[in-house]
Short mmCIF file of all heavy atoms in Angstrom, two decimals:
data_model
loop_
_atom_site.label_atom_id
_atom_site.label_comp_id
_atom_site.label_asym_id
_atom_site.label_seq_id
_atom_site.Cartn_x
_atom_site.Cartn_y
_atom_site.Cartn_z
N LYS A 20 108.69 73.68 152.90
CA LYS A 20 107.35 73.41 153.41
C LYS A 20 107.21 71.94 153.84
O LYS A 20 106.43 71.61 154.70
CB LYS A 20 106.31 73.75 152.36
CG LYS A 20 106.24 75.25 152.08
CD LYS A 20 105.19 75.55 151.04
CE LYS A 20 104.96 77.00 150.78
NZ LYS A 20 106.02 77.92 150.79
N ASP A 21 107.98 71.06 153.22
CA ASP A 21 107.95 69.63 153.54
C ASP A 21 108.78 69.40 154.79
O ASP A 21 110.00 69.42 154.77
CB ASP A 21 108.51 68.83 152.37
CG ASP A 21 108.47 67.33 152.62
OD1 ASP A 21 108.03 66.90 153.71
OD2 ASP A 21 108.89 66.58 151.74
N LYS A 22 108.13 69.19 155.90
CA LYS A 22 108.83 69.05 157.18
C LYS A 22 109.58 67.71 157.29
O LYS A 22 110.30 67.49 158.24
CB LYS A 22 107.85 69.20 158.36
CG LYS A 22 107.20 70.58 158.41
CD LYS A 22 108.26 71.68 158.53
CE LYS A 22 107.60 73.05 158.55
NZ LYS A 22 108.54 74.12 158.47
N LYS A 23 109.39 66.82 156.30
CA LYS A 23 110.13 65.57 156.31
C LYS A 23 111.57 65.77 155.85
O LYS A 23 112.41 64.93 156.06
CB LYS A 23 109.44 64.54 155.41
CG LYS A 23 108.08 64.11 155.92
CD LYS A 23 107.44 63.14 154.97
CE LYS A 23 106.02 62.82 155.42
NZ LYS A 23 105.33 61.96 154.45
N MET A 24 111.83 66.89 155.20
CA MET A 24 113.17 67.19 154.72
C MET A 24 113.98 67.78 155.87
O MET A 24 113.50 68.63 156.61
CB MET A 24 113.11 68.19 153.56
CG MET A 24 114.46 68.44 152.92
SD MET A 24 114.35 69.59 151.54
CE MET A 24 113.40 68.64 150.37
N THR A 25 115.20 67.30 156.02
CA THR A 25 116.05 67.81 157.08
C THR A 25 117.38 68.30 156.51
O THR A 25 117.79 67.88 155.43
CB THR A 25 116.33 66.73 158.14
OG1 THR A 25 116.98 65.63 157.51
CG2 THR A 25 115.06 66.27 158.81
N PHE A 26 118.01 69.16 157.24
CA PHE A 26 119.31 69.70 156.88
C PHE A 26 120.25 69.48 158.05
O PHE A 26 119.86 69.65 159.20
CB PHE A 26 119.22 71.21 156.59
CG PHE A 26 118.32 71.54 155.44
CD1 PHE A 26 116.95 71.71 155.62
CD2 PHE A 26 118.83 71.67 154.16
CE1 PHE A 26 116.12 72.02 154.56
CE2 PHE A 26 118.01 71.96 153.09
CZ PHE A 26 116.65 72.15 153.28
N GLU A 27 121.47 69.08 157.75
CA GLU A 27 122.47 68.87 158.79
C GLU A 27 123.78 69.51 158.38
O GLU A 27 124.11 69.56 157.20
CB GLU A 27 122.76 67.37 158.98
CG GLU A 27 121.70 66.60 159.69
CD GLU A 27 122.15 65.17 159.89
OE1 GLU A 27 123.02 64.94 160.76
OE2 GLU A 27 121.66 64.29 159.16
N ILE A 28 124.52 69.97 159.35
CA ILE A 28 125.87 70.46 159.12
C ILE A 28 126.81 69.36 159.59
O ILE A 28 126.76 68.94 160.74
CB ILE A 28 126.13 71.76 159.90
CG1 ILE A 28 125.19 72.85 159.40
CG2 ILE A 28 127.59 72.18 159.76
CD1 ILE A 28 125.21 74.09 160.27
N LEU A 29 127.62 68.85 158.67
CA LEU A 29 128.54 67.77 158.99
C LEU A 29 129.96 68.21 158.64
O LEU A 29 130.18 68.81 157.60
CB LEU A 29 128.19 66.52 158.19
CG LEU A 29 126.76 66.01 158.34
CD1 LEU A 29 126.46 64.94 157.32
CD2 LEU A 29 126.55 65.48 159.75
N THR A 30 130.90 67.91 159.49
CA THR A 30 132.29 68.21 159.19
C THR A 30 133.12 66.95 159.39
O THR A 30 132.86 66.17 160.30
CB THR A 30 132.85 69.33 160.09
OG1 THR A 30 132.76 68.92 161.45
CG2 THR A 30 132.08 70.61 159.92
N GLN A 31 134.05 66.76 158.49
CA GLN A 31 134.97 65.62 158.58
C GLN A 31 136.29 66.04 157.97
O GLN A 31 136.34 66.91 157.10
CB GLN A 31 134.44 64.42 157.80
CG GLN A 31 133.29 63.72 158.45
CD GLN A 31 132.93 62.44 157.70
OE1 GLN A 31 133.64 61.99 156.82
NE2 GLN A 31 131.81 61.85 158.06
N MET A 32 137.36 65.40 158.39
CA MET A 32 138.68 65.65 157.82
C MET A 32 138.89 64.69 156.66
O MET A 32 138.46 63.54 156.70
CB MET A 32 139.76 65.42 158.88
CG MET A 32 139.71 66.40 160.04
SD MET A 32 139.99 68.11 159.55
CE MET A 32 141.69 68.04 159.07
N GLY A 33 139.53 65.18 155.61
CA GLY A 33 139.85 64.34 154.46
C GLY A 33 139.65 65.11 153.18
O GLY A 33 139.30 66.29 153.18
N SER A 34 139.86 64.44 152.06
CA SER A 34 139.66 65.09 150.77
C SER A 34 138.16 65.32 150.57
O SER A 34 137.33 64.56 151.07
CB SER A 34 140.21 64.24 149.63
OG SER A 34 139.39 63.11 149.41
N LEU A 35 137.83 66.36 149.83
CA LEU A 35 136.42 66.68 149.57
C LEU A 35 135.71 65.48 148.95
O LEU A 35 134.61 65.12 149.37
CB LEU A 35 136.33 67.90 148.64
CG LEU A 35 134.93 68.35 148.24
CD1 LEU A 35 134.10 68.71 149.47
CD2 LEU A 35 135.01 69.51 147.27
N GLU A 36 136.35 64.85 147.99
CA GLU A 36 135.74 63.71 147.31
C GLU A 36 135.44 62.57 148.27
O GLU A 36 134.31 62.07 148.34
CB GLU A 36 136.68 63.22 146.20
CG GLU A 36 136.16 62.02 145.46
CD GLU A 36 137.15 61.50 144.44
OE1 GLU A 36 138.12 62.20 144.09
OE2 GLU A 36 136.96 60.36 143.99
N SER A 37 136.43 62.14 149.06
CA SER A 37 136.21 61.00 149.94
C SER A 37 135.21 61.32 151.05
O SER A 37 134.40 60.46 151.43
CB SER A 37 137.53 60.51 150.53
OG SER A 37 138.12 61.50 151.33
N VAL A 38 135.25 62.53 151.56
CA VAL A 38 134.30 62.92 152.62
C VAL A 38 132.88 62.95 152.08
O VAL A 38 131.95 62.42 152.71
CB VAL A 38 134.70 64.29 153.23
CG1 VAL A 38 133.59 64.83 154.10
CG2 VAL A 38 135.99 64.16 154.02
N MET A 39 132.68 63.53 150.90
CA MET A 39 131.32 63.58 150.34
C MET A 39 130.78 62.19 150.07
O MET A 39 129.62 61.89 150.37
CB MET A 39 131.29 64.44 149.08
CG MET A 39 131.36 65.93 149.39
SD MET A 39 131.07 66.97 147.97
CE MET A 39 129.33 66.70 147.67
N VAL A 40 131.60 61.32 149.49
CA VAL A 40 131.17 59.95 149.20
C VAL A 40 130.79 59.24 150.50
O VAL A 40 129.74 58.59 150.58
CB VAL A 40 132.26 59.18 148.43
CG1 VAL A 40 131.94 57.69 148.36
CG2 VAL A 40 132.43 59.76 147.03
N HIS A 41 131.61 59.38 151.52
CA HIS A 41 131.33 58.73 152.80
C HIS A 41 130.02 59.23 153.41
O HIS A 41 129.19 58.43 153.85
CB HIS A 41 132.48 58.96 153.78
CG HIS A 41 132.19 58.47 155.16
ND1 HIS A 41 132.18 57.14 155.49
CD2 HIS A 41 131.85 59.14 156.29
CE1 HIS A 41 131.86 57.01 156.76
NE2 HIS A 41 131.65 58.21 157.27
N ILE A 42 129.83 60.54 153.44
CA ILE A 42 128.61 61.10 154.05
C ILE A 42 127.37 60.68 153.27
O ILE A 42 126.36 60.29 153.86
CB ILE A 42 128.71 62.64 154.14
CG1 ILE A 42 129.74 63.02 155.22
CG2 ILE A 42 127.35 63.26 154.46
CD1 ILE A 42 130.04 64.51 155.27
N VAL A 43 127.42 60.73 151.94
CA VAL A 43 126.27 60.35 151.11
C VAL A 43 125.88 58.90 151.39
O VAL A 43 124.70 58.58 151.54
CB VAL A 43 126.57 60.58 149.62
CG1 VAL A 43 125.58 59.85 148.73
CG2 VAL A 43 126.56 62.08 149.31
N GLU A 44 126.87 58.02 151.47
CA GLU A 44 126.57 56.60 151.73
C GLU A 44 126.12 56.37 153.17
O GLU A 44 125.15 55.65 153.40
CB GLU A 44 127.80 55.76 151.40
CG GLU A 44 128.11 55.73 149.92
CD GLU A 44 129.41 55.03 149.59
OE1 GLU A 44 130.13 54.59 150.51
OE2 GLU A 44 129.72 54.93 148.39
N ASP A 45 126.79 57.00 154.12
CA ASP A 45 126.49 56.80 155.53
C ASP A 45 125.11 57.33 155.92
O ASP A 45 124.37 56.70 156.66
CB ASP A 45 127.57 57.46 156.39
CG ASP A 45 127.40 57.17 157.86
OD1 ASP A 45 127.31 55.98 158.22
OD2 ASP A 45 127.35 58.14 158.66
N LYS A 46 124.78 58.51 155.41
CA LYS A 46 123.51 59.16 155.77
C LYS A 46 122.38 58.86 154.79
O LYS A 46 121.28 59.37 154.94
CB LYS A 46 123.72 60.68 155.85
CG LYS A 46 124.69 61.12 156.92
CD LYS A 46 124.07 60.94 158.28
CE LYS A 46 124.97 61.52 159.35
NZ LYS A 46 124.35 61.44 160.67
N LYS A 47 122.68 58.07 153.74
CA LYS A 47 121.67 57.75 152.71
C LYS A 47 121.05 59.03 152.14
O LYS A 47 119.84 59.20 152.09
CB LYS A 47 120.62 56.80 153.26
CG LYS A 47 121.20 55.46 153.68
CD LYS A 47 120.16 54.55 154.28
CE LYS A 47 120.69 53.21 154.68
NZ LYS A 47 121.94 53.07 155.31
N VAL A 48 121.92 59.91 151.69
CA VAL A 48 121.53 61.22 151.17
C VAL A 48 120.83 61.06 149.82
O VAL A 48 121.27 60.29 148.97
CB VAL A 48 122.78 62.13 151.03
CG1 VAL A 48 122.46 63.42 150.32
CG2 VAL A 48 123.38 62.40 152.40
N ASP A 49 119.72 61.80 149.62
CA ASP A 49 118.98 61.77 148.36
C ASP A 49 119.50 62.81 147.37
O ASP A 49 119.41 62.61 146.16
CB ASP A 49 117.50 62.05 148.61
CG ASP A 49 116.83 60.96 149.42
OD1 ASP A 49 117.12 59.78 149.19
OD2 ASP A 49 116.03 61.30 150.31
N LEU A 50 120.01 63.92 147.87
CA LEU A 50 120.52 65.00 147.03
C LEU A 50 121.63 65.72 147.78
O LEU A 50 121.42 66.16 148.91
CB LEU A 50 119.41 66.01 146.69
CG LEU A 50 119.84 67.29 145.98
CD1 LEU A 50 120.33 66.99 144.57
CD2 LEU A 50 118.68 68.28 145.94
N ALA A 51 122.78 65.84 147.15
CA ALA A 51 123.89 66.59 147.74
C ALA A 51 123.97 67.95 147.06
O ALA A 51 123.74 68.07 145.86
CB ALA A 51 125.21 65.83 147.55
N ILE A 52 124.29 68.96 147.84
CA ILE A 52 124.42 70.33 147.33
C ILE A 52 125.82 70.80 147.67
O ILE A 52 126.26 70.68 148.81
CB ILE A 52 123.36 71.26 147.95
CG1 ILE A 52 121.96 70.72 147.65
CG2 ILE A 52 123.53 72.68 147.41
CD1 ILE A 52 120.85 71.43 148.38
N MET A 53 126.50 71.36 146.67
CA MET A 53 127.88 71.78 146.86
C MET A 53 128.11 73.14 146.21
O MET A 53 127.74 73.36 145.07
CB MET A 53 128.81 70.74 146.22
CG MET A 53 130.27 71.05 146.34
SD MET A 53 131.25 69.76 145.56
CE MET A 53 131.69 70.60 144.06
N ALA A 54 128.74 74.04 146.95
CA ALA A 54 129.16 75.32 146.38
C ALA A 54 130.53 75.14 145.76
O ALA A 54 131.30 74.26 146.16
CB ALA A 54 129.21 76.39 147.46
N THR A 55 130.85 75.95 144.79
CA THR A 55 132.14 75.83 144.11
C THR A 55 133.24 76.62 144.79
O THR A 55 134.40 76.52 144.41
CB THR A 55 132.04 76.27 142.64
OG1 THR A 55 131.58 77.63 142.60
CG2 THR A 55 131.12 75.37 141.86
N ASP A 56 132.92 77.39 145.81
CA ASP A 56 133.92 78.16 146.53
C ASP A 56 134.92 77.22 147.18
O ASP A 56 134.55 76.32 147.93
CB ASP A 56 133.25 79.03 147.60
CG ASP A 56 134.20 79.99 148.26
OD1 ASP A 56 135.14 80.44 147.59
OD2 ASP A 56 134.01 80.29 149.45
N GLY A 57 136.19 77.38 146.87
CA GLY A 57 137.22 76.55 147.45
C GLY A 57 137.56 75.31 146.63
O GLY A 57 138.52 74.61 146.93
N VAL A 58 136.78 75.03 145.59
CA VAL A 58 137.09 73.89 144.72
C VAL A 58 138.26 74.28 143.83
O VAL A 58 138.25 75.35 143.21
CB VAL A 58 135.86 73.48 143.88
CG1 VAL A 58 136.21 72.39 142.90
CG2 VAL A 58 134.72 73.05 144.79
N LYS A 59 139.26 73.44 143.76
CA LYS A 59 140.49 73.76 143.04
C LYS A 59 140.30 73.81 141.53
O LYS A 59 140.82 74.69 140.87
CB LYS A 59 141.59 72.78 143.42
CG LYS A 59 141.97 72.85 144.87
CD LYS A 59 142.95 71.76 145.23
CE LYS A 59 143.15 71.76 146.75
NZ LYS A 59 143.64 70.50 147.23
N ASN A 60 139.59 72.84 140.98
CA ASN A 60 139.38 72.81 139.53
C ASN A 60 138.19 71.93 139.19
O ASN A 60 137.66 71.23 140.04
CB ASN A 60 140.64 72.32 138.81
CG ASN A 60 141.08 70.95 139.28
OD1 ASN A 60 140.29 70.02 139.28
ND2 ASN A 60 142.34 70.84 139.69
N ARG A 61 137.79 71.97 137.93
CA ARG A 61 136.59 71.21 137.55
C ARG A 61 136.82 69.71 137.61
O ARG A 61 135.89 68.94 137.76
CB ARG A 61 136.07 71.65 136.20
CG ARG A 61 136.83 71.16 135.05
CD ARG A 61 136.26 71.66 133.74
NE ARG A 61 137.28 71.47 132.74
CZ ARG A 61 137.16 70.64 131.73
NH1 ARG A 61 136.04 69.99 131.54
NH2 ARG A 61 138.14 70.48 130.87
N ASP A 62 138.08 69.26 137.50
CA ASP A 62 138.37 67.84 137.61
C ASP A 62 137.99 67.30 138.99
O ASP A 62 137.55 66.16 139.13
CB ASP A 62 139.85 67.56 137.34
CG ASP A 62 140.21 67.78 135.88
OD1 ASP A 62 139.30 67.71 135.02
OD2 ASP A 62 141.40 68.02 135.60
N GLU A 63 138.14 68.15 140.01
CA GLU A 63 137.75 67.76 141.37
C GLU A 63 136.24 67.53 141.43
O GLU A 63 135.77 66.56 142.02
CB GLU A 63 138.17 68.84 142.36
CG GLU A 63 137.98 68.47 143.80
CD GLU A 63 138.53 69.52 144.76
OE1 GLU A 63 138.85 70.65 144.34
OE2 GLU A 63 138.59 69.21 145.95
N ILE A 64 135.48 68.40 140.80
CA ILE A 64 134.02 68.26 140.77
C ILE A 64 133.63 67.01 139.97
O ILE A 64 132.76 66.24 140.40
CB ILE A 64 133.35 69.51 140.17
CG1 ILE A 64 133.59 70.72 141.08
CG2 ILE A 64 131.85 69.29 139.96
CD1 ILE A 64 133.15 72.04 140.50
N LEU A 65 134.28 66.78 138.84
CA LEU A 65 133.96 65.61 138.02
C LEU A 65 134.26 64.31 138.77
O LEU A 65 133.50 63.34 138.67
CB LEU A 65 134.75 65.66 136.71
CG LEU A 65 134.33 66.77 135.74
CD1 LEU A 65 135.27 66.81 134.55
CD2 LEU A 65 132.88 66.58 135.29
#
Side-chain angles (χ1 to χ4, degrees):
K20 293 181 175 37
D21 182 359
K22 297 301 179 188
K23 294 178 186 175
M24 186 179 293
T25 60
F26 298 87
E27 285 184 74
I28 298 170
L29 304 169
T30 60
Q31 287 187 9
M32 295 297 292
S34 72
L35 178 60
E36 178 184 345
S37 63
V38 168
M39 284 189 70
V40 169
H41 173 74
I42 289 173
V43 164
E44 291 173 358
D45 185 54
K46 297 288 186 176
K47 298 178 179 41
V48 172
D49 295 319
L50 172 68
I52 302 171
M53 180 180 103
T55 58
D56 188 32
V58 175
K59 296 174 188 159
N60 58 53
R61 76 181 163 115
D62 290 337
E63 187 175 12
I64 295 172
L65 292 174

